[in-house]
Amino acid sequence: MPPTTLSAKQAAGLHECFISLGSNIDPNYYFAQALEIIGRECVLLARSKAIRTAPVGYQQQPDFLNAALLVSTPLEREAFRDYLKGVEDRLGRERGAIKSGPRTMDLDIVAWDGEIVDDGYFKHSYVKKPVDEVLASSGRTLEPRPTSSRR
């Protein structure tokens, strides 16, 4: 787990990450739980307000709450992605046959060290709007990743 306090030497090696949060199973409870865990295990720099959004894809499910966080971590990107999937698991996330189905918590890396790494930012207002709110409040900017690195 990432430390909650860092020495000056450790702080020099931190990465900044924008995380998209989404939940539509008891979302108020799971948002509070996710914020508590991430706030305890990472350095939380900023967060957006939660917004309610209609489901995308599979429609026979409740609306979602979505938000964005800006955190710093000493972990590298793939290790941090694995950490976020572990947080989802700790919050009871079940991955079923319907990829866009209901979930207790969905945590995705949207931007890493100032570079957008998730095309969802450009495609979905439920990702873009909260991230843009954090950008405005934190004074940060984001750059799209170069076309050659798109996966």
Side-chain angles (χ1 to χ4, degrees), residues 30-46:
Y30 285 107
F31 257 68
Q33 293 299 302
L35 287 169
E36 194 275 321
I37 291 169
I38 293 169
R40 183 179 65 238
E41 297 175 354
C42 300
V43 179
L44 181 60
L45 302 173

Side-chain angles (χ1 to χ4, degrees), residues 5 10 13 16 19 33 38 40 42 45 47 51 56 59-60 72 75 85-86 91 101 106 110 112 135-136 146-147:
T5 58
Q10 289 171 315
E16 284 194 356
I19 304 167
Q33 293 299 302
I38 293 169
R40 183 179 65 238
C42 300
L45 302 173
R47 64 183 268 199
I51 59 172
V56 173
Q59 299 292 306
Q60 278 54 56
S72 62
L75 297 175
K85 296 308 161 198
L91 294 173
D106 186 28
V110 176
W112 188 260
L135 287 169
T147 305

Side-chain angles (χ1 to χ4, degrees), residues 44-108:
L44 181 60
L45 302 173
R47 64 183 268 199
S48 72
K49 296 176 194 158
I51 59 172
R52 187 164 301 278
T53 61
V56 173
Y58 180 68
Q59 299 292 306
Q60 278 54 56
Q61 61 181 326
D63 286 350
F64 280 81
L65 277 186
N66 293 98
L69 303 177
L70 173 61
V71 302
S72 62
T73 177
L75 297 175
E76 294 301 320
R77 187 166 134 198
E78 286 306 310
F80 192 69
R81 182 192 159 289
D82 292 344
Y83 163 75
L84 292 177
K85 296 308 161 198
V87 172
E88 291 176 353
D89 293 343
R90 289 159 58 189
L91 294 173
R93 170 83 186 261
E94 293 182 15
R95 290 163 178 80
I98 302 171
K99 183 173 174 17
S100 62
R103 75 254 352 241
T104 55
M105 184 54 60
D106 186 28
L107 301 168
D108 294 309

